[in-house]
Amino acid sequence: LMQQKNPKALIETAFQTILCRKPSEQEMTALQSYWDQAKKEWNGKSKEWDKTISIGAYQPKTKNKLDLVVSMQTIQLMYNMQEAITKT
C-alpha cells in the first residue's frame, strides 16, 4: 500500500482490499478528511511514531514514518466499519 503515489490512491486501494468494493465519493471524501486530520494530529508527535509503527510484525521499508502512521490509523478505521466487521 505504501507504494501508492498519493493518499487518495492508498485509501482507495486499502478500501477495495478490505471491503471488496470501490468506495463511493462520499466515503472517499470522509476518509480523505480523516487522513488530513490524522496527519495534522500526528505531525508534531515524531517521538510517538516509532512506538506506533513497532506494533506491526514487519519492519517498514518506507522512510516516511508520518504517512505510515497516518495510513495505519486510516486503515484501522476501515477495519472498524460495520461493513468490514460483518464481511471479514
Side-chain angles (χ1 to χ4, degrees):
L1 286 173
M2 292 306 297
Q3 296 172 356
Q4 299 298 326
K5 302 213 183 279
N6 59 55
K8 184 176 180 179
L10 184 143
I11 291 168
E12 189 168 350
T13 301
F15 191 97
Q16 288 177 338
T17 302
I18 295 166
L19 296 168
C20 301
R21 68 174 178 82
K22 289 188 176 206
S24 69
E25 191 63 37
Q26 183 180 9
E27 290 167 328
M28 279 300 296
T29 300
L31 289 168
Q32 183 69 49
S33 176
Y34 180 84
W35 173 284
D36 294 339
Q37 179 184 353
K39 192 161 187 170
K40 286 178 187 174
E41 289 177 13
W42 280 96
N43 195 23
K45 300 179 182 178
S46 59
K47 292 180 181 180
E48 298 292 319
W49 298 348
D50 288 328
K51 182 179 175 184
T52 302
I53 293 169
S54 69
I55 294 171
Y58 300 101
Q59 292 298 318
K61 295 179 183 177
T62 182
K63 301 290 183 201
N64 190 339
K65 291 182 180 181
L66 175 58
D67 279 350
L68 181 59
V69 170
V70 174
S71 298
M72 291 171 66
Q73 296 293 305
T74 305
I75 290 168
Q76 181 179 359
L77 176 72
M78 289 181 212
Y79 272 115
N80 286 330
M81 291 172 60
Q82 180 66 28
E83 183 178 352
I85 292 169
T86 58
K87 283 189 176 182
T88 56

